[in-house]
Structure formats: C-alpha cells, structure tokens
Amino acid sequence: MRPSIDEYFLKIASVVAERSTCERHHVGAVAVKNKHILATGYNGAPAGLKDCLELGCLRNELKIPSGTRHEICRGIHAEQNVIIQASLHGVSLEGSTIYLTHSPCVLCAKMLVNAKIQRLVTFGKYPDDTFLSLFKEAGIQFDAVEKPSTIITHLE
C-alpha cells in the first residue's frame, strides 16, 4: 500500500536518524515544503569533532535522565542540525513542515518557532512536552501520529 505523505517523510526521517552518533537516542529530522525536502538533520557531535561513539556518553556515565541537563551533552539535536543545514545552504524554513522521529525539547522548539515553521509531525515522544504551549502560542500545528512501518516495499 502506498504510504501517505506524512508516512513517507517520517520514514525518511527514520533513515536520517540512522546517521546519529548518540548512544541514547537516534533522532532524525526532515524539513519539507510543498512536498520538497529542504534539509535533513540528525543528532550528534559538531561536524569534525569526536562523538559519543568514540568518546562514550558523559550523560550515561553521570546517570543524567533524558530530557534534562542538555548542556552536559556534546551532541547537537536533529532539529538544530536541520536548521543549521538549511542556513548553510541559504534555504529558508519559513512555512515548512518538520518531520521528526521524536517530539522536540523546549530549546529546539524555541528555535523552530524562530525559524517560522508551520507544522511539526512526529511519531516519538521526548520526555519534555513544554514545547506544546510554545507551539500553540506561535500557531505551529503539531501532529503526533502512529509510527510508520519500517518495511520498505517496492516492485522488483
């Protein structure tokens, strides 16, 4: 069966998440406008720097719960990277939809508000839902949907 547009881009976000260098969560983001991919991002260390796969995870070592003490992590969130990638290539995210494998933390939500996105679609839940009130105030549509099938179907 042909996937819906939301399922299609969420599957792509899931593949993007496979590039993550985080030991805790693999998160992927895809920015889309008019059914066209503008940029992608995944969570991991800044480009060219050692990542948690090489160094280990300080947050795990210190037993820091997910959703707290973001400053301890050397990683950049997928949402931050999708904004950075768009800006590096001169692409505006204004009016776009972000497809994300997890809901955003409040810090990323603030950045997405300033990037003037129109909608965010996700199937995963981050342990912080503070973003909901920000999105409501900013008029950003939020849709939590079922996780799409991980099976890739195509004709031979």
Side-chain angles (χ1 to χ4, degrees):
M1 193 165 128
R2 187 173 190 221
S4 70
I5 288 296
D6 286 348
E7 289 170 327
Y8 172 68
F9 286 120
L10 284 171
K11 279 186 165 190
I12 294 171
S14 295
V15 171
V16 171
E18 290 183 327
R19 293 282 302 153
S20 172
T21 58
C22 178
E23 291 185 356
R24 286 181 159 205
H25 302 288
H26 286 189
V27 182
V30 179
V32 174
K33 190 169 184 180
N34 300 323
K35 299 181 185 177
H36 176 77
I37 295 175
L38 303 175
T40 64
Y42 55 86
N43 59 324
L49 301 184
K50 292 180 181 179
D51 58 48
C52 295
L53 298 178
E54 186 176 349
L55 297 174
C57 176
L58 181 59
R59 291 172 58 84
N60 280 345
E61 291 170 22
L62 298 175
K63 297 180 180 12
I64 296 172
S66 185
T68 64
R69 304 288 316 271
H70 299 279
E71 74 280 3
I72 299 295
C73 181
R74 74 183 289 117
I76 298 170
H77 289 189
E79 305 93 305
Q80 296 167 348
N81 271 325
V82 81
I83 293 168
I84 292 165
Q85 287 303 308
S87 70
L88 285 173
H89 298 284
V91 176
S92 171
L93 297 183
E94 186 171 359
S96 69
T97 296
I98 303 296
Y99 290 91
L100 192 59
T101 58
H102 293 65
S103 55
C105 72
V106 69
L107 298 173
C108 289
K110 291 177 194 179
M111 293 178 194
L112 292 168
V113 167
N114 271 3
K116 299 184 187 233
I117 69 161
Q118 179 179 346
R119 181 177 178 232
L120 189 136
V121 182
T122 187
F123 59 79
K125 181 147 177 37
Y126 191 71
D128 174 9
D129 63 1
T130 311
F131 76 94
L132 288 170
S133 60
L134 286 172
F135 276 16
K136 184 176 181 178
E137 185 178 349
I140 295 172
Q141 180 181 338
F142 173 71
D143 294 310
V145 299
E146 293 289 320
K147 183 177 181 179
S149 170
T150 56
I151 296 170
I152 304 296
T153 57
H154 57 87
L155 298 176
E156 293 295 325

